[in-house]
């Protein structure tokens, strides 16, 4: 439906609005030429109805796009937080592994040092045993000589 506002030349104060429908509506509308249009609620608009509708659709699409981008940013933010948390846990586990490896090396070196100390102690004890054996043999020899001397002394009496 196309509306037309016309001024009546007979009386300067009256204005008539006529509605033109059907094939006559295809004629050029002076309001449309001036850039004024009526929407479906018969409100006067500056934009063409098609442009206004497309603008509204674009606005809705943009809003949906912004909403989706916001959701995407939330998801990506959550993913980044998760990856950061996993990286921290991996770093912690890595440090634990390095500490355990160093402790193992330290224990191995301590055992090696302890083994060397024990081997030195064994060698020392073997030498001491050999000295005691030699001393025992010497004392046994002295004892047998003294026993022999005692036996001879008793026989001489």
């Amino acid at each position: 439906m196309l509306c037309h506002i016309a001024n009546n030349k007979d009386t300067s104060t009256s204005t008539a609005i006529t509605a033109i429908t059907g094939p006559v509506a295809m004629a050029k509308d002076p309001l449309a030429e001036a850039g004024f249009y009526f929407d479906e609620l018969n409100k006067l608009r500056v934009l063409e109805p098609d442009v206004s509708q497309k603008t509204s659709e674009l606005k809705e699409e943009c809003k949906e796009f912004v909403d989706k981008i916001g959701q995407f940013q939330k998801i990506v933010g959550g993913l980044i937080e998760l990856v950061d948390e996993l990286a921290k846990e991996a770093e912690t586990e890595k440090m634990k592994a390095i500490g355990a490896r160093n402790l193992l090396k330290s224990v191995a070196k301590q055992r090696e040092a302890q083994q060397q100390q024990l081997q030195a102690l064994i060698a020392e004890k073997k030498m001491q045993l050999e000295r005691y054996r030699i001393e025992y043999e010497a004392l046994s020899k002295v004892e047998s000589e003294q026993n022999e001397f005692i036996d001879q002394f008793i026989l001489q009496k």
Side-chain angles (χ1 to χ4, degrees):
M1 178 167 100
L2 186 62
C3 294
H4 178 68
I5 300 175
N7 286 332
N8 191 349
K9 292 185 180 186
D10 295 336
T11 59
S12 61
T13 58
S14 73
T15 304
I17 299 177
T18 57
I20 303 173
T21 59
V24 181
M26 293 296 169
K28 289 189 176 184
D29 184 16
L31 284 176
E33 289 178 4
F36 296 107
Y37 304 94
F38 287 99
D39 64 4
E40 61 275 347
L41 299 175
N42 290 325
K43 289 187 177 181
L44 187 62
R45 301 286 180 195
V46 177
L47 290 175
E48 291 182 35
D50 278 349
V51 174
S52 177
Q53 181 182 358
K54 288 179 182 177
T55 303
S56 296
E57 289 173 2
L58 181 61
K59 180 180 176 183
E60 287 299 315
E61 287 178 16
C62 288
K63 185 178 182 239
E64 289 174 11
F65 179 75
V66 168
D67 290 343
K68 287 180 182 180
I69 291 294
Q71 290 174 349
F72 178 74
Q73 285 178 338
K74 286 180 184 177
I75 291 170
V76 169
L79 180 64
I80 289 172
E81 287 177 12
L82 180 63
V83 168
D84 286 344
E85 187 176 314
L86 289 174
K88 287 178 184 177
E89 288 179 20
E91 189 66 26
T92 301
E93 291 300 318
K94 178 181 171 185
M95 294 307 286
K96 285 181 183 178
I98 290 171
R101 183 178 61 197
N102 290 342
L103 181 63
L104 184 63
K105 286 180 182 178
S106 172
V107 167
K109 286 181 181 180
Q110 286 177 351
R111 284 188 179 168
E112 187 178 310
Q114 187 178 20
Q115 185 179 13
Q116 288 175 354
Q117 287 175 345
L118 290 174
Q119 286 176 348
L121 184 62
I122 289 171
E124 183 182 322
K125 294 294 180 182
K126 282 183 179 179
M127 288 175 41
Q128 189 177 14
L129 177 64
E130 185 62 25
R131 279 196 311 267
Y132 287 153
R133 190 185 59 76
I134 292 171
E135 187 177 343
Y136 174 75
E137 288 175 3
L139 289 174
S140 292
K141 189 176 183 183
V142 168
E143 180 186 19
S144 69
E145 287 175 1
Q146 286 179 353
N147 282 336
E148 188 178 309
F149 176 76
I150 291 174
D151 286 341
Q152 284 179 2
F153 184 70
I154 291 181
L155 286 176
Q156 283 180 356
K157 255 189 173 190

